[in-house]
Amino acid sequence: MPLQLDIASALALTSGTTSPVSGVGANTEASFTHELRQHVRTALERAARSDYPAWLGHVESAAACTRPILLRGNLATVDTRTGEILSVRHTSTLPDGVIYKACGNRRHTVCPACATTYQHDAYHLVRAGLVGGKTVPDTVRTHPAVFATLTAPSFGLVHTRNVRHCSCRNKTRCTCRPSPCHARRDSPVCPHGRPLACWQRHSPGDEQLGRPLCSDCYDYAHHVVWNHCAGELWRRTKQHAERHLNQLARRLGLSRVRLSHGKAAEYQARGAVHFHILLRLDGVDPDLPDAIVPPPPGITTDDITAAVTQAATVITYATSAHPDQPEGWHIAWGHQHEVRPITLSASGDALDDQAVAAYLAKYSTKGTEATGHASRRLTTDTIGLYANPEGSHPERLIAAAWSLGHPPEWRGLRRWAHMLGFGGHFLTKARRYSITFGSIREQRAAYRRAHALNRSHPGSEGHPETAPFQRQAILDSKTEETTLVIGFLTYAGTGWHTTGDQLLANTAAAQARERTRAGREELAHQQACSSSASLAA
């Protein structure tokens, strides 16, 4: 008889907060503050059970997740050489009768713990492409690299916070005095009779930021179509910049080059996507086209900056025809773009590799929250909850995407209406730029397996031993394992059995993170002491 679970909410452990996602696993209980006694009681009941240590080890991989996925079914151990099934085990023999799997969501507003893991992976992925390591050759340190920011054009006047010379180290908490939003000597009005001037000096958290001065004048259709076509615009821009650099190389008598990139997308407050892009110059070996080789000397970061700037200025194209716009929409970059060189130790206007990697990783975990909207994929049953042609700014954007997506060739606008038309990934990279997320996750899984074996069979030093880091293609082709565990699993729910269970699991995960942090600080202190001692000697 299958085990039936009463899936409760997955509350965050902050007083007064609830699960941000509606539906399965959402908050169905009262506030954490009002139900504190009940949660503590269920936590104590779990901790008093004889199988508590086994349960805590069972949920370890998903302990910090706010909404873990529950899986039920059979686990078969198979001999990879003969294909023989050695044993079969049902999840009913496990604690709670299910397997807990972290949701893996990259968005901080949905699951902070899984988003932090994703952010750390993104940081190492991006930085490996700048300094080497993790199968990326160390010679990439010498490759010229730049960091570019490309923005969307204007679709209508919006409220902005204009700080001409910001001196704050943390831009998100800027306290500099901004200029007036839209200062005008005259007092112009739009055709709808609304003023086109704003003398306010908006604070960073002002709700007016990104909202149009006149919503009826704002071109919502062009806005969502631009978001939808931003990926193709970037592809053409990179292609043009690479072609420009190869023309320069031919004039200098040098061999071919190519640009490898890592790119993060970010929503502005007005709901338009803009890109933060890392571009690294590589050489091309005709005999080894997939190898990462140094570029020929003679092409500098200034040349890359000029190529990217020119491409962002001249590249433009028209979309295919639409019943509402027979001539198509004009797709081009906005006038505001910035390209800065990257060095291993920043100086002047240059950026250092750690800052760039952290910058891209941070934005890879964000979504449409900056616009004031957050939802799952919309359907005909739910579109009315979020779309309104006469409503707020996000509601009008969603309504425009849904309305324009009725022709079959434009159906993608409806599919991505909840993302305001943008259907691309928030962190992308060129195939040769760096490693993959898959290889990073496989290495983490290998470490955890070694750690689990080490706990039962400790080695001479008590530390797990893992295999060297490998690319995903190599990991996919490995056949060293003699046994394989295959899961015949089905979805059994989302969330923790009780909020007390989440309290215990999250507390254990927080203690583990604190031990890891303390260990890192101690290692950093020992390295600093060793460096000081060597310099003194």
Side-chain angles (χ1 to χ4, degrees), residues 82-249:
T82 64
E84 178 186 2
I85 298 179
L86 303 178
S87 63
V88 178
R89 185 184 186 189
H90 194 271
T91 55
S92 59
T93 61
L94 302 175
D96 290 343
V98 293
I99 292 177
Y100 287 85
K101 182 182 183 301
C103 68
N105 197 292
R106 64 162 190 85
R107 297 171 68 174
H108 266 293
T109 55
V110 176
C111 182
C114 291
T116 299
T117 301
Y118 184 93
Q119 183 175 346
H120 291 168
D121 291 349
Y123 173 83
H124 290 290
L125 182 150
V126 173
R127 191 162 185 262
L130 288 174
V131 301
K134 295 180 170 56
T135 73
V136 180
D138 293 339
T139 54
V140 297
R141 292 171 172 264
T142 62
H143 295 205
V146 300
F147 184 70
T149 299
L150 303 180
T151 62
S154 174
F155 307 106
L157 293 177
V158 298
H159 292 279
T160 61
R161 186 174 188 271
N162 183 18
V163 179
R164 296 182 179 179
H165 302 288
C166 182
S167 58
C168 300
R169 297 189 62 182
N170 189 343
K171 305 300 183 183
T172 60
R173 299 181 180 179
C174 176
T175 57
C176 299
R177 180 178 172 84
S179 302
C181 177
H182 287 284
R184 301 288 295 269
R185 292 181 181 273
D186 52 356
S187 299
V189 294
C190 72
H192 304 93
R194 297 184 179 89
L196 296 180
C198 176
W199 293 90
Q200 293 188 45
R201 302 177 188 268
H202 297 292
S203 59
D206 195 330
E207 293 183 355
Q208 285 187 293
L209 290 176
R211 301 302 183 255
L213 272 66
C214 176
S215 296
D216 294 327
C217 292
Y218 196 84
D219 194 348
Y220 286 97
H222 195 181
H223 182 142
V224 296
V225 170
W226 193 95
N227 279 352
H228 190 62
C229 299
E232 173 63 16
L233 179 62
W234 160 243
R235 187 189 70 81
R236 297 182 183 217
T237 302
K238 181 188 174 184
Q239 188 179 63
H240 185 279
E242 199 170 71
R243 187 182 299 117
H244 177 87
L245 291 172
N246 276 300
Q247 290 173 353
L248 174 62

Side-chain angles (χ1 to χ4, degrees), residues 12 15 42 72 119 184 186 237 247 261 264 305 326 359 370 397 422-423 426 485 504 517:
S15 177
T42 56
R72 180 188 297 119
Q119 183 175 346
R184 301 288 295 269
D186 52 356
T237 302
Q247 290 173 353
H261 77 276
T305 299
Y359 202 66
L397 288 171
F422 178 68
F426 279 79
V485 178
L504 291 171
R517 184 195 62 79

Side-chain angles (χ1 to χ4, degrees), residues 277-356:
I277 310 157
L278 187 157
L279 289 158
R280 186 191 70 207
L281 187 68
D282 295 341
V284 178
D285 187 343
D287 299 326
L288 298 171
D290 292 333
I292 302 175
V293 298
I299 300 180
T300 65
T301 54
D302 292 338
D303 297 322
I304 305 175
T305 299
V308 175
T309 302
Q310 184 202 35
T313 304
V314 303
I315 290 299
T316 179
Y317 76 100
T319 66
S320 58
H322 188 279
D324 296 346
Q325 189 82 1
E327 67 276 14
W329 284 274
H330 181 73
I331 305 298
W333 297 110
H335 296 297
Q336 294 182 345
H337 50 260
E338 182 184 37
V339 185
R340 298 172 63 183
I342 300 173
T343 63
L344 296 184
S345 57
S347 59
D349 292 333
L351 295 169
D352 68 90
D353 59 291
Q354 294 185 7
V356 170

Side-chain angles (χ1 to χ4, degrees), residues 471-480:
R471 283 187 174 271
Q472 186 63 39
I474 300 175
L475 291 168
D476 292 340
S477 61
K478 284 184 65 176
T479 57
E480 297 177 3

